[in-house]
Amino acid sequence: MATAPGLTWQRFRDLKLSEMTEAADGWRAASAFADAARERVEGDMSGKLTKTQDSESARAAVKRLKRLSENYHYIHTETGLIRGTLDGLASELEAPQRRLRDALEDAASLGYTVADNGSIDYPAGGKNELTGDAIPGGSVVGNNGLIGAGNPGLYFDADGMLNPAPGPGAPALKSPNPHHAKAQDVADRIAHAMREAHEIDARYSSALSKLKAAPGLTVDTKTWADVGSDADAVSQAAQKYLEKNLPLDKSPAERKEWWDQLGKEQREEYISAFPGVIGNLDGIPALARDEANRENLQLLIGQLGVRHDDASQDMLGGLKGIQEKLEKGGKLPMYLLGIGDEGNGRAIIAYGNPDTADNVSAYVPGLGTKLDAEFADGTVDRALYTARGAQNADPSSRTSSIVWLGYDAPQVTPSDLASGRSVMFTNDAEAGAPDYNAFMAGISATHEGGNPHVTAIGHSYGSLTVGLAAQEKGGIPGADNIILVGSPGTGADTAQDLNVGKGHVFVGAADNDIVTKLPNHAEASGMTSGAVGGGSAGFVLGAGMAGPPGALIGGGAGALVGGIAGYTAQDAQTDPSERWFGTDPASEDFGATRFAVKDGATVLEDQGKLSAHSNYFNRAKDQISADNIANIVVGNSDRITLEAPR
């Protein structure tokens, strides 16, 4: 398989890379067999038994079959990694081996001798100008060895003899023997090829050494953690191979073209050996991304399962929740279009295949969203609600509804908002906007019909991300409509700035959704100053009248009154349509179409839960909003219920 640590140029010259690729093909066959066996166990055996039998013995049999299925899954994954490693090794060694063979051929044609250590012996050549004798031959080694170019402490004399340099004015390292320079070139090329081969071999040998199972195979959390570590090692070892063979720096359209040109076996290899790469590459078709990401999901669960910090455990809860939904299935098929543990976690989930759908919506969540159990249980369901609503709004069309958590949303809680600590920065949205546009470009590139009806949806801070994406050159790729709900602003002055036409920007803003009423900079400053001043005054007065308890009560009341007074004073001097992130999307000045939503509960009625900010997609809690969103998604915006701008 891999080259040996004591690799010589003779062994590398004679190495048959075709034997590595043949071995990789053998591992591919083993991987395919294990995958087929797993499908038979889950479908023909376990699945049928679950549907037809309901007894203790049947449940025990299903449990044993699940263990068998996990064993096959493990074999499929590990053998796929081995296959990818061998193919990557053979591919990377091809270029340095070709360079080595070319250099050796040149040495032979020139009559030079290549020693075992790679040094080159060259014959006498040229004449000494003083004596007329032939300048003697010599020996050179590649690169900066003891003999050769680049060593400033040595020089050649007129007879071609090597001497120590006497000082800064020593002659340059250039032998008068015409063979010297040619021999040096050959030696350098041999040394370069061998140095590269050793570096490649070290990388892949390290990865291959990890790909082994412990005696007595038991596939558990620790096993999958090891597999995840193996997958990371393979990806790191094969990084140069991936950069060379995969269009990582290309556009989604170019990636789709590349994927279409691959054979079935090549696609299978990339998915099984590099699931984390393929699954998150915009421009790869949904079915392939889903297959790769389901594989990567298991690896991530294994890796996070052996970590005990709070962040890892939160993310593990989200991953397991997504896995449960995928395994449970439903009338609307799920597709896992992205998954990862970067930042606060990444997850892109679709209900309905976006490559074949007539309508595609891609919703960006906002404040407080991260990959955790709440995301899996709540945020993902908003995409499901939209998919179901679209199906009801137009049963004759197919809709894919996507939730896109491809960025880090600000981790702001309701108590933060209630206390006046708001989302003050655009950094997260600015970082997420280009990635959202890349994803949407991928949706356009992989769609089989070529022209779906596309709606970009931004909720909460996610509306800022969508708004900034829409203001990039060319706007959001493929977008026909933009929906903004619970928005604190988009960074735009008017709906026209969002590059879909003001008549195609729709806004839902509940009257009791305080996020849609976040103050502008001046108002926020007034609130802060007023709260500080009012709190101080109230503290002093309260203490004088009722001691320490009075100070606390007076301080709190003073801060509230002062904050309101400060806000009111600044509000009277500023444009009422201005929010922290620009013009209020629900205002008349912004110019979008505002659709009707329920007012929702106030913060006090809701005990600080901000449900008015979260009900827009839920038909059971806000039917009018959910129906309006669904009608826009399917292209029936003429059927929505309107509400007057603020």
Side-chain angles (χ1 to χ4, degrees):
M1 294 191 296
T3 55
L7 179 65
T8 65
W9 64 260
Q10 295 96 329
R11 294 184 63 189
F12 187 38
R13 176 197 61 194
D14 299 334
L15 184 65
K16 295 181 180 179
L17 300 181
S18 60
E19 292 181 352
M20 288 188 192
T21 56
E22 288 170 3
D25 287 341
W27 288 106
R28 180 197 63 78
S31 180
F33 175 84
D35 194 39
R38 180 181 65 159
E39 289 182 357
R40 286 196 297 272
V41 169
E42 292 180 351
D44 297 341
M45 300 169 69
S46 179
K48 289 183 178 179
L49 193 60
T50 301
K51 293 177 181 178
T52 59
Q53 303 293 323
D54 185 18
S55 64
E56 287 296 327
S57 59
R59 284 188 285 273
V62 169
K63 189 174 181 179
R64 288 193 294 273
L65 288 170
K66 182 173 178 59
R67 287 200 298 270
L68 179 60
S69 174
E70 282 293 284
N71 288 345
Y72 279 128
H73 187 187
Y74 172 80
I75 294 169
H76 164 68
T77 303
E78 285 285 86
T79 51
L81 291 174
I82 294 172
R83 174 201 181 182
T85 305
L86 290 174
D87 272 341
L89 175 58
S91 176
E92 286 201 49
L93 286 176
E94 183 179 354
Q97 186 186 62
R98 183 176 62 252
R99 287 195 289 270
L100 171 66
R101 289 175 173 175
D102 289 345
L104 293 172
E105 288 179 6
D106 288 348
S109 67
L110 292 167
Y112 301 161
T113 300
V114 183
D116 288 346
N117 67 353
S119 64
I120 304 292
D121 294 332
Y122 60 91
K127 289 185 179 182
N128 185 304
E129 295 179 0
L130 297 176
T131 66
D133 296 333
I135 298 174
S139 179
V140 293
V141 296
N143 298 309
N144 296 325
L146 178 62
I147 305 174
N151 192 328
L154 303 170
Y155 80 103
F156 290 99
D157 62 20
D159 293 322
M161 302 302 292
L162 195 67
N163 291 283
L173 277 173
K174 182 176 181 181
S175 171
N177 187 325
H179 291 290
H180 172 267
K182 296 178 182 178
Q184 186 66 63
D185 174 66
V186 173
D188 286 348
R189 288 155 58 195
I190 291 174
H192 179 264
M194 292 305 299
R195 186 171 61 250
E196 188 175 359
H198 279 293
E199 186 275 327
I200 293 168
D201 177 63
R203 278 192 284 115
Y204 281 94
S205 292
S206 175
L208 281 169
S209 68
K210 298 177 183 294
L211 300 176
K212 55 185 178 182
L217 178 62
T218 299
V219 180
D220 54 16
T221 298
K222 185 177 183 302
T223 305
W224 283 115
D226 290 340
V227 177
S229 177
D230 292 347
D232 287 343
V234 171
S235 292
Q236 290 170 10
Q239 186 59 39
K240 292 184 179 179
Y241 169 74
L242 293 174
E243 292 173 355
K244 174 185 175 183
N245 291 277
L246 273 64
L248 301 179
D249 58 349
K250 301 295 184 181
S251 70
E254 290 171 316
R255 292 171 184 163
K256 174 58 165 57
E257 183 178 354
W258 165 81
W259 186 261
D260 289 343
Q261 293 173 351
L262 294 179
K264 180 181 178 182
E265 291 185 0
Q266 285 178 297
R267 294 177 184 174
E268 290 175 352
E269 175 188 337
Y270 289 134
I271 289 174
S272 61
F274 311 108
V277 177
I278 296 299
N280 293 290
L281 203 58
D282 297 320
I284 304 301
L287 289 175
R289 290 184 73 162
D290 178 65
E291 182 181 351
N293 283 317
R294 288 180 189 240
E295 191 70 39
N296 198 36
L297 175 64
Q298 181 65 68
L299 302 182
L300 289 171
I301 288 175
Q303 290 177 297
L304 292 172
V306 296
R307 302 177 192 169
H308 303 293
D309 59 285
D310 291 342
S312 294
Q313 289 302 302
D314 282 349
M315 202 174 297
L316 180 62
L319 294 171
K320 286 185 173 180
I322 292 170
Q323 187 179 55
E324 289 173 7
K325 286 180 179 289
L326 290 168
E327 291 177 348
K328 184 178 180 180
K331 293 182 179 179
L332 290 172
M334 290 179 66
Y335 298 85
L336 189 57
L337 304 181
I339 200 74
D341 60 356
E342 300 93 336
N344 293 322
R346 302 287 186 264
I348 307 171
I349 298 166
Y351 283 94
N353 187 344
D355 292 346
T356 59
D358 302 301
N359 313 297
V360 178
S361 66
Y363 142 62
V364 182
L367 299 176
T369 308
K370 60 181 179 179
L371 181 53
D372 57 7
E374 184 178 342
F375 172 82
D377 292 338
T379 307
V380 171
D381 285 342
R382 292 173 185 167
L384 177 59
Y385 297 150
T386 299
R388 287 174 176 170
Q391 197 172 53
N392 291 331
D394 185 1
S396 65
S397 67
R398 298 166 296 179
T399 296
S400 176
S401 176
I402 302 167
V403 54
W404 184 86
L405 183 61
Y407 81 124
D408 285 329
Q411 297 304 297
V412 178
T413 66
S415 61
D416 290 331
L417 293 172
S419 64
R421 291 190 298 275
S422 182
V423 187
M424 299 300 179
F425 304 108
T426 62
N427 307 50
D428 292 325
E430 289 170 352
D435 292 335
Y436 181 71
N437 277 348
F439 174 76
M440 297 301 278
I443 292 295
S444 296
T446 60
H447 194 271
E448 295 176 9
N451 189 30
H453 180 261
V454 176
T455 303
I457 304 176
H459 173 232
S460 184
Y461 185 90
S463 67
L464 175 62
T465 305
V466 168
L468 294 179
Q471 292 172 77
E472 289 195 341
K473 184 177 180 180
I476 298 172
D480 298 288
N481 297 315
I482 291 175
I483 298 176
L484 309 168
V485 288
S487 176
T490 64
D493 293 329
T494 70
Q496 191 65 38
D497 297 333
L498 302 186
N499 284 307
V500 291
K502 62 180 295 185
H504 292 273
V505 179
F506 302 88
V507 176
D511 278 349
N512 291 322
D513 180 356
I514 65 170
V515 175
T516 70
K517 298 180 179 180
L518 288 180
N520 59 44
H521 292 255
E523 292 167 343
S525 176
M527 286 177 66
T528 302
S529 299
V532 171
S536 299
F539 184 89
V540 173
L541 291 174
M545 297 175 64
L552 294 176
I553 296 172
L560 178 62
V561 172
I564 293 173
Y567 170 84
T568 303
Q570 289 296 333
D571 184 54
Q573 302 177 49
T574 59
D575 187 339
S577 68
E578 284 300 305
R579 295 293 178 259
W580 189 268
F581 295 126
T583 308
D584 177 8
S587 69
E588 186 173 2
D589 289 346
F590 192 74
T593 300
R594 186 182 183 190
F595 58 83
V597 303
K598 288 182 66 175
D599 291 343
T602 66
V603 175
L604 294 177
E605 293 170 341
D606 208 25
Q607 297 181 334
K609 294 181 181 178
L610 297 186
S611 64
H613 184 59
S614 306
N615 293 338
Y616 295 102
F617 301 91
N618 192 330
R619 203 166 186 269
K621 296 181 178 181
D622 190 347
Q623 179 177 343
I624 190 169
S625 175
D627 286 349
N628 282 331
I629 291 172
N631 273 307
I632 295 168
V633 166
V634 300
N636 293 337
S637 58
D638 56 327
R639 299 181 185 178
I640 65 175
T641 305
L642 301 179
E643 185 170 349
R646 287 175 176 166

